[in-house]
Amino acid sequence: VWAVVEVGGQTLLTTCQGSKAAKMLAPALRSDWVRAIFVGAANVFIPIFFFLNSGNQSVRKWRGTNDTPGRYTKSAQRVADEIDTWNWCSILTKVALLGELFFMLQIGFSKVTYIFLSWLCEFLSDFDFGLVLFLVFAVGYCMFMLPPVPGVPVYIFSGIVITDQARRNLGDNGFVTGIIIAIAVGFFNKLLACLGQYCIGFFLGKKVKVQQLIAVDSVPTKAIEMILNRPGLNLGKVAILIGGPDWPTSVTCGILKLNIPQMLLGTMPVIFILSPCVLAGAFIARQGEDAMWLTLANFATIAAAVCQIAAGLTAAFCIMKTIQEHGDELAEPRPEHAEIRELTRKGEHSRRSYIDVTKWSNLTLCDKVILIGCVGFHLVAGFMFVMMAEACFLPFSVDKSIKAPISEGGLGGNPLSIVVAPWGHIALCLFFIAVALHILHCCIMSQRAKNELKYSQNPAETAEERRASQTTTGSKPSAKE
């Protein structure tokens, strides 16, 4: 908004038209994923906007100042005409997927990870210090190898356990020594995990379908590959390796078969992100002694978040800059991607069949009720998870004991008590009902697309046979019948 006001919309449009990066981003900004993010964020405000605008237009008609004879004002009518062209089935399905991804990362794995790490902290409290280091390293490595688990809770866990054990076993300097050891353990754990994730990508990347999945023949992926192939330490390379999600970044490096030593070299500056996390864990372990430690833990957490966000933004900037400078070169097809292009071409017919059967105008009333119900339940559940978080879940953290009373930040010995009745149970029920409706919708659409594809490959099939097949899946007959 500031850029449009200060610079001018026409100036921005002219500048973007001459930018290769902007031309690459334009289709992405109009994709169903971006529209799904908008719909998921705006949700009820979209019908509210049109309702209020309709009232505004009615008043204008009564006063004789309306600029169009339609139901909405001129600007709102343009918006209505635009969204009328959207593939609403695809958009609403992606809203459901985003809701499930949010639950998995922020609710499901987040709560489970903290409960597991808290139990492990307590379990390791009586072990020998050397054995604790080995177990912390092993557990951290295993968690790094799980796609949904981010590195931050692993680093915080290392800081809590190792510094606490060091204070008990290494005397007066145990706290500082424990922090240094925890940083070293987290650092080497990250590098080893990168190797493991690289191997996963290397072997999976031999399959053409996997290469197609991450779009290795697309311009953005080629730009990332170009940046990561640069020798030594450079800003873009480091930003991508430490600013991107842990598991997807290293696995992608394996799929692209990048140089391993260069990948590890570019990952080494991650120490500047993991160190504040380890410090936060170390300070959290001592928060019961003085309020100062909790304040320091908050500062360390903020510092880690700022570093992570800065790395992510820098990575995005470097990718866009590379596209701007080498767009024509990156857009040229490569011989090694011929199989991917052929696989994409073969799958185009199936994709078009699925798009055709999932057009909003081709859906039955039952289909629309299922899909709208799925999205509605997801939005309500997501609202409760975010805006009513304290009413749905207990505020449990890694440094708390599961056995501690709930009044002291624990779970009263029952991990399931982290879900607060009744609102937590209601939110979870709504979420799982939405997931069930989403699965039902996908099954119906997939079966219908298979029938459509079968019919297109066998046009001799009688109309009666096809109608019988469509009756079983509840689809509407097409216009050509």
Side-chain angles (χ1 to χ4, degrees):
V1 174
W2 174 86
V4 173
V5 173
E6 294 294 325
V7 180
Q10 187 60 41
T11 303
L12 286 175
L13 182 61
T14 304
T15 304
C16 290
Q17 287 175 344
S19 170
K20 295 177 183 177
K23 291 179 180 178
M24 292 298 303
L25 287 174
L29 293 176
R30 296 180 65 85
S31 70
D32 286 347
W33 282 107
V34 174
R35 290 169 176 173
I37 293 172
F38 166 74
V39 172
N43 53 76
V44 296
F45 293 104
I46 297 175
I48 290 175
F49 164 76
F50 284 109
F51 174 76
L52 294 177
N53 188 268
S54 177
N56 184 13
Q57 179 71 343
S58 298
V59 173
R60 288 186 178 188
K61 288 180 178 179
W62 177 69
R63 298 176 59 185
T65 58
N66 57 301
D67 51 0
T68 60
R71 183 177 181 181
Y72 305 113
T73 62
K74 188 175 181 180
S75 57
Q77 188 60 51
R78 284 200 299 267
V79 175
D81 292 340
E82 170 65 23
I83 65 175
D84 190 52
T85 64
W86 291 3
N87 185 347
W88 279 99
C89 182
S90 172
I91 292 170
L92 294 179
T93 303
K94 288 175 173 59
V95 172
L97 285 171
L98 290 171
E100 288 153 12
L101 180 64
F102 168 80
F103 176 86
M104 182 176 67
L105 295 178
Q106 298 297 324
I107 306 298
F109 281 99
S110 175
K111 304 297 182 186
V112 172
T113 298
Y114 282 128
I115 291 174
F116 170 71
L117 293 180
S118 172
W119 169 82
L120 196 59
C121 286
E122 193 170 349
F123 177 73
L124 297 176
S125 60
D126 297 326
F127 280 65
D128 178 74
F129 185 60
L131 182 59
V132 168
L133 292 180
F134 172 77
L135 292 175
V136 168
F137 187 90
V139 170
Y141 179 80
C142 292
M143 297 193 71
F144 266 122
M145 299 305 290
L146 298 175
V149 178
V152 173
V154 178
Y155 301 141
I156 294 177
F157 162 71
S158 300
I160 292 175
V161 175
I162 294 177
T163 55
D164 183 63
Q165 289 292 313
R167 288 175 61 203
R168 298 182 185 184
N169 293 276
L170 302 182
D172 296 336
N173 296 323
F175 182 68
V176 176
T177 305
I179 291 176
I180 296 173
I181 294 173
I183 291 174
V185 168
F187 178 71
F188 288 108
N189 208 338
K190 169 64 176 176
L191 295 183
L192 187 61
C194 285
L195 285 177
Q197 294 159 356
Y198 181 97
C199 291
I200 293 174
F202 181 83
F203 290 107
L204 287 178
K206 294 181 179 180
K207 299 181 179 180
V208 179
K209 188 67 177 177
V210 175
Q211 296 180 35
Q212 183 196 37
L213 183 64
I214 70 162
V216 298
D217 57 337
S218 66
V219 172
T221 305
K222 290 179 183 177
I224 293 173
E225 182 181 12
M226 176 179 285
I227 295 171
L228 294 179
N229 274 324
R230 294 170 183 167
L233 288 173
N234 63 78
L235 184 63
K237 179 179 180 178
V238 171
I240 291 173
L241 290 173
I242 71 174
D246 296 283
W247 199 87
T249 301
S250 298
V251 170
T252 301
C253 289
I255 294 174
L256 297 176
K257 298 179 175 57
L258 301 178
N259 183 278
I260 294 178
Q262 289 294 323
M263 179 192 71
L264 295 178
L265 178 64
T267 306
M268 285 183 177
V270 75
I271 194 169
F272 295 107
I273 292 179
L274 73 86
S275 295
C277 295
V278 171
L279 287 172
F283 297 149
I284 287 173
R286 301 189 66 174
Q287 67 177 343
E289 301 175 14
D290 195 303
M292 172 191 70
W293 295 110
L294 181 58
T295 303
L296 291 174
N298 292 333
F299 276 120
T301 303
I302 293 172
V306 169
C307 292
Q308 186 73 56
I309 293 172
L313 293 176
T314 303
F317 170 78
C318 292
I319 293 171
M320 293 177 64
K321 183 180 179 182
T322 301
I323 294 174
Q324 177 69 22
E325 295 176 351
H326 305 279
D328 295 336
E329 176 188 347
L330 296 173
E332 293 180 1
R334 298 179 182 176
E336 61 268 27
H337 296 157
E339 292 184 58
I340 302 173
R341 292 193 295 273
E342 179 63 18
L343 183 62
T344 302
R345 187 190 65 80
K346 290 180 178 179
E348 185 66 18
H349 186 52
S350 299
R351 188 180 72 86
R352 289 185 179 277
S353 296
Y354 189 83
I355 292 175
D356 182 60
V357 300
T358 56
K359 286 182 180 178
W360 191 256
S361 58
N362 291 340
L363 298 183
T364 65
L365 177 61
C366 181
D367 297 332
K368 295 176 181 179
V369 170
I370 291 173
L371 186 54
I372 293 175
C374 164
V375 173
F377 285 135
H378 265 308
L379 292 177
V380 174
F383 176 85
M384 295 179 70
F385 290 144
V386 175
M387 305 305 295
M388 301 174 59
E390 294 183 358
C392 294
F393 302 100
L394 293 176
F396 186 74
S397 56
V398 179
D399 61 302
K400 303 299 182 182
S401 172
I402 297 175
K403 298 179 180 178
I406 293 177
S407 58
E408 297 178 8
L411 298 178
N414 181 16
L416 297 179
S417 64
I418 193 171
V419 181
V420 179
W423 295 112
H425 295 153
I426 292 173
L428 288 175
C429 286
L430 292 176
F431 172 78
F432 287 115
I433 290 173
V435 171
L437 291 175
H438 186 196
I439 294 173
L440 176 62
H441 168 78
C442 291
C443 290
I444 294 173
M445 294 298 108
S446 297
Q447 184 60 46
R448 198 172 296 168
K450 289 179 181 178
N451 293 341
E452 181 74 16
L453 188 62
K454 177 183 175 182
Y455 173 77
S456 63
Q457 293 173 348
N458 183 23
E461 183 183 22
T462 64
E464 288 75 13
E465 291 174 340
R466 192 173 184 222
R467 288 194 190 97
S469 175
Q470 288 175 331
T471 302
T472 60
T473 57
S475 63
K476 292 181 179 179
S478 64
K480 59 187 176 185
E481 291 187 86

